[in-house]
Amino acid sequence: MIDINKKYRTRDGLEVRIYATDGWSASPIHGAIKVEGEWRFSCWSTSGIHHQDRAYDLIEVILRHKRTVWLHVFKNSTVCATEEAYYEITNRIACIKVELDFEEGEGL
């Protein structure tokens, strides 16, 4: 089911805008595809199938997040994560930089 609040692209990678999900007929999803720098009106079925060209089928874009965190390791084996390397903590035996790169919702 296509959700107006989610981001989509076409099967062949073009940018998509969804305007409505309650249209009439067999293609109730209305929006536009950016082709050669111009927005062109289009419509899809409720499952994202394009009404004429399968290359324009909707594919949900899963957002990626990148973040750097620092893991502070202590003698008693507990770990604390912060977004800064410097953090006034006593008994810390290591401060490890970790680069995170993950899809939204990953690990849930």
Side-chain angles (χ1 to χ4, degrees), residues 53-107:
D53 188 342
R54 293 300 306 263
Y56 291 161
D57 289 355
L58 296 177
I59 305 295
E60 184 178 347
V61 174
I62 305 298
L63 300 177
R64 292 201 68 79
H65 299 276
K66 292 184 179 186
R67 182 172 299 144
T68 301
V69 296
W70 296 87
L71 297 180
H72 304 275
V73 182
F74 304 92
K75 288 181 183 180
N76 62 4
S77 298
T78 60
V79 176
C80 167
T82 66
E83 293 193 15
E84 297 177 1
Y86 178 77
Y87 197 76
E88 296 210 22
I89 301 175
T90 57
N91 300 324
R92 179 176 62 192
I93 60 172
C95 182
I96 304 165
K97 181 179 182 181
V98 180
E99 299 290 340
L100 302 175
D101 181 2
F102 55 95
E103 288 185 352
E104 190 165 305
E106 188 174 331

Side-chain angles (χ1 to χ4, degrees), residues 2-64:
I2 301 302
D3 183 340
I4 198 166
N5 298 310
K6 292 183 179 179
K7 185 173 179 156
Y8 297 91
R9 63 172 175 77
T10 62
R11 186 174 300 283
D12 62 354
L14 298 175
E15 189 177 353
V16 172
R17 288 181 183 168
I18 301 296
Y19 302 138
T21 57
D22 58 354
W24 180 77
S25 179
S27 299
I29 310 301
H30 295 181
I33 302 170
K34 195 170 193 178
V35 180
E36 297 175 1
E38 297 179 356
W39 289 103
R40 299 182 185 173
F41 174 78
S42 200
C43 53
W44 299 267
S45 71
T46 55
S47 61
I49 305 300
H50 191 264
H51 67 105
Q52 291 179 332
D53 188 342
R54 293 300 306 263
Y56 291 161
D57 289 355
L58 296 177
I59 305 295
E60 184 178 347
V61 174
I62 305 298
L63 300 177
R64 292 201 68 79

